[in-house]
Amino acid sequence: MNQKPVWEDREVKFDIPSIYKTIRSGELILDILDAVEDTKGNSGDCGRILVTNLRVMWYSITSHRFSLSIGYSCILTMNTKTVVSKVRGTTQALYILSVGSNSRFEFIFTNLTAVNTKHFASIFDVYRLYQGSTIYRELKLRSSVVLSGQLQVQPQEQIFNTINGVWNLSSDQGNLGILIVSNVRIVWYAEMNNSFNISLPYMQIASLRIRESKYGPALVIQTLETGGSYVLGFRIDPSERLGDVYKELLSLHSVYTETPVFGVFYEAPADVECAPTDSAFDIEELDSAAGSEINSKFTAYLADSGANDGSNVKRKPFYCKELGFAMESLKDGYTIKDLWDVLPSQ
């Protein structure tokens, strides 16, 4: 099976080039947050956050080299704080503590738009939805997926087949039960004890095959390492019926691999208006060289003006025709254009 393991929600990665072009199949961009700074890693760099159903991504809009990908499974704690700075005034900052590759990381994302007081609300909403939808992505054993003989069907889940008389070969004597096949998972539960059950999403299946066992031909399902590396066996009689179920599962698994369903269904609040170009592919990166040159001149001028080295003397004002008002004389080496055109001209 040519299934690529889903790593996006389980890893923390840095500096993926053009990260907004790495959206995998089934991953949906649920919200886009502009004017956000990665304060700890890329201070002074204005960036954008993409909130998907699997992770939070940040990237610089001036350089495609600087980016972050934080999977929801890696997040330990997340909260917001009100911060005050001389440059931004009073604004909101998002603090995320995460773990990845046996290391802990703290990220601080600062909202550069002080008028927006709910800038990070969608991240918390999507994260809660992710935590509450593990049934779509994780193997569940002896869970409450079946109540009173009825499968608890999840949103956007479609039941395709219900097969009676299926033996689970996990024990020496076997257990007779019912196998349910849907578009997102396989569920088996014992007829005599509904709490003895298995819920296996397709995204956790490593292989499907028919093998000989001491009970005769059996459907053997092996799970991925993220699913516990289990080997599950089921006997379905007669053998022709077993072959039909095997083909059906192969087909559904193939369809799921192309268009996976991760179980996070988010709708933005009605009072939040999205920009008409909220698409990762509508993003234009600013020229990094031009942006750095302009910003460095502006920053250098402010630094020189604020330096307390005795060289700063009051300069006589003059009337500036370009701006239409009187201003302090500029230092040598600077022009009005250097300080006025903070953003690159189009």
Side-chain angles (χ1 to χ4, degrees):
M1 292 184 174
N2 298 322
Q3 181 176 359
K4 294 181 180 180
V6 179
W7 61 265
E8 285 81 1
D9 63 332
R10 299 175 182 272
E11 295 185 24
V12 176
K13 290 195 174 185
F14 300 86
D15 298 337
I16 302 174
S18 300
I19 191 171
Y20 55 85
K21 296 181 181 178
T22 65
I23 304 298
R24 70 170 293 130
S25 176
E27 185 177 11
L28 305 174
I29 298 177
L30 304 176
D31 200 5
I32 299 177
L33 310 181
D34 288 308
V36 178
E37 175 192 75
D38 173 23
T39 304
K40 289 195 72 173
N42 298 280
S43 181
D45 223 356
C46 182
R48 176 180 281 122
I49 284 182
L50 303 182
V51 184
T52 80
N53 51 345
L54 296 177
R55 53 181 166 162
V56 173
M57 294 184 286
W58 176 93
Y59 66 92
S60 168
I61 62 173
T62 57
S63 175
H64 67 278
R65 294 176 299 169
F66 305 127
S67 65
L68 297 170
S69 174
I70 309 170
Y72 293 131
S73 288
C74 303
I75 295 177
L76 299 177
T77 61
M78 186 168 56
N79 57 78
T80 58
K81 296 180 182 178
T82 300
V83 295
V84 181
S85 71
K86 294 181 180 178
V87 178
R88 307 179 193 93
T90 302
T91 185
Q92 290 284 322
L94 174 67
Y95 287 72
I96 297 179
L97 181 63
S98 64
V99 60
S101 302
N102 299 320
S103 300
R104 290 197 175 195
F105 305 99
E106 184 185 44
F107 303 99
I108 302 176
F109 299 105
T110 304
N111 175 18
L112 302 181
T113 309
V115 296
N116 192 343
T117 59
K118 297 182 179 180
H119 207 57
F120 302 114
S122 61
I123 298 179
F124 288 89
D125 293 340
V126 175
Y127 179 59
R128 282 192 290 267
L129 290 172
Y130 176 87
Q131 289 181 307
S133 57
T134 57
I135 194 74
Y136 289 85
R137 303 178 302 273
E138 298 179 6
L139 172 67
K140 302 289 185 180
L141 299 174
R142 297 179 180 272
S143 61
S144 57
V145 295
V146 179
L147 296 177
S148 302
Q150 295 294 321
L151 176 67
Q152 302 302 295
V153 180
Q154 303 300 311
Q156 294 195 13
E157 182 177 21
Q158 301 175 10
I159 305 300
F160 290 130
N161 202 351
T162 300
I163 307 155
N164 296 299
V166 178
W167 290 88
N168 185 332
L169 306 180
S170 58
S171 59
D172 290 337
Q173 72 274 14
N175 290 281
L176 186 63
I178 298 172
L179 185 71
I180 300 176
V181 179
S182 81
N183 60 322
V184 296
R185 57 177 172 160
I186 303 168
V187 178
W188 178 91
Y189 64 94
E191 291 182 353
M192 302 300 295
N193 182 8
N194 292 170
S195 63
F196 183 43
N197 56 60
I198 300 169
S199 175
L200 176 60
Y202 292 125
M203 69 174 291
Q204 295 296 347
I205 294 178
S207 65
L208 283 161
R209 59 186 183 273
I210 295 178
R211 290 180 53 185
E212 284 293 332
S213 69
K214 62 181 180 180
Y215 301 102
L219 173 67
V220 177
I221 304 174
Q222 185 169 358
T223 68
L224 294 170
E225 185 178 351
T226 54
S229 299
Y230 289 100
V231 178
L232 307 173
F234 302 96
R235 196 188 79 186
I236 303 174
D237 295 324
S239 58
E240 293 80 9
R241 191 183 181 198
L242 171 63
D244 292 340
V245 173
Y246 171 69
K247 292 177 182 178
E248 182 181 26
L249 291 178
L250 282 180
S251 176
L252 290 173
H253 183 273
S254 177
V255 172
Y256 181 89
T257 302
E258 294 296 326
T259 56
V261 179
F262 296 119
V264 180
F265 311 114
Y266 171 76
E267 292 184 6
D271 59 340
V272 177
E273 293 185 2
C274 295
T277 58
D278 276 358
S279 170
F281 301 100
D282 295 331
I283 296 163
E284 293 183 4
E285 294 183 2
L286 300 178
D287 181 72
S288 58
S292 300
E293 181 182 357
I294 294 170
N295 288 334
S296 63
K297 287 184 178 181
F298 184 64
T299 305
Y301 185 85
L302 293 177
D304 289 343
S305 300
N308 188 19
D309 56 2
S311 62
N312 289 330
V313 295
K314 290 187 176 180
R315 294 182 292 279
K316 292 182 179 181
F318 75 101
Y319 179 75
C320 177
K321 293 182 179 180
E322 293 93 335
L323 300 180
F325 52 76
M327 61 177 289
E328 187 181 65
S329 300
L330 297 178
K331 287 187 174 185
D332 294 337
Y334 295 96
T335 66
I336 294 293
K337 184 175 178 60
D338 290 338
L339 304 184
W340 190 260
D341 293 343
V342 177
L343 294 177
S345 58
Q346 300 296 326

